[in-house]
Protein backbone atom coordinates (compact mmCIF):
# COMPACT_ATOMS: atom_id res chain seq x y z
CA UNK A 1 0.00 0.00 0.00
CA UNK A 2 2.88 2.39 0.69
CA UNK A 3 4.17 1.87 -2.84
CA UNK A 4 0.82 3.00 -4.22
CA UNK A 5 0.78 6.05 -1.94
CA UNK A 6 4.29 7.01 -3.04
CA UNK A 7 3.29 6.66 -6.68
CA UNK A 8 0.27 8.91 -6.09
CA UNK A 9 2.53 11.34 -4.19
CA UNK A 10 4.80 11.64 -7.21
CA UNK A 11 1.90 12.35 -9.55
CA UNK A 12 -0.20 14.54 -7.18
CA UNK A 13 1.68 15.34 -3.98
CA UNK A 14 -1.26 16.78 -1.99
CA UNK A 15 -3.40 13.73 -2.75
CA UNK A 16 -0.69 11.39 -1.48
CA UNK A 17 -0.43 13.35 1.77
CA UNK A 18 -4.21 13.48 2.10
CA UNK A 19 -4.43 9.70 1.81
CA UNK A 20 -1.88 9.39 4.60
CA UNK A 21 -2.91 12.08 7.13
CA UNK A 22 -6.24 13.56 6.02
CA UNK A 23 -6.86 17.28 6.47
CA UNK A 24 -4.03 17.70 9.00
CA UNK A 25 -1.44 20.46 8.94
CA UNK A 26 0.90 18.39 6.75
CA UNK A 27 -1.73 18.42 3.99
CA UNK A 28 -1.97 22.22 3.95
CA UNK A 29 1.80 22.56 4.12
CA UNK A 30 2.11 20.24 1.14
CA UNK A 31 -0.35 22.32 -0.87
CA UNK A 32 1.74 25.41 -0.11
CA UNK A 33 4.98 23.65 -1.06
CA UNK A 34 3.44 22.31 -4.27
CA UNK A 35 2.30 25.80 -5.24
CA UNK A 36 5.83 27.09 -4.64
CA UNK A 37 7.32 24.30 -6.73
CA UNK A 38 6.40 20.82 -7.81
CA UNK A 39 9.63 19.19 -6.55
CA UNK A 40 9.37 20.48 -2.95
CA UNK A 41 5.81 19.14 -2.85
CA UNK A 42 6.97 15.71 -3.99
CA UNK A 43 9.83 15.61 -1.49
CA UNK A 44 7.54 16.57 1.38
CA UNK A 45 4.87 14.06 0.33
CA UNK A 46 7.32 11.17 0.12
CA UNK A 47 8.81 12.19 3.47
CA UNK A 48 5.37 12.24 5.15
CA UNK A 49 4.48 8.83 3.73
CA UNK A 50 7.83 7.25 4.61
CA UNK A 51 7.77 8.72 8.14
CA UNK A 52 4.44 7.15 9.14
Amino acid sequence: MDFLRILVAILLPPLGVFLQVGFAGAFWLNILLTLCGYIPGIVHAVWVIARR
Side-chain angles (χ1 to χ4, degrees):
M1 190 66 177
D2 282 343
F3 175 75
L4 193 59
R5 284 188 185 134
I6 289 176
L7 183 64
V8 169
I10 292 171
L11 299 175
L12 260 73
L15 180 60
V17 174
F18 174 76
L19 291 174
Q20 185 72 28
V21 298
F23 282 113
F27 171 72
W28 299 109
L29 177 61
N30 190 269
I31 287 180
L32 181 67
L33 287 171
T34 303
L35 289 175
C36 290
Y38 187 66
I39 300 297
I42 291 174
V43 170
H44 178 256
V46 170
W47 180 72
V48 167
I49 291 170
R51 185 177 58 132
R52 294 186 183 212

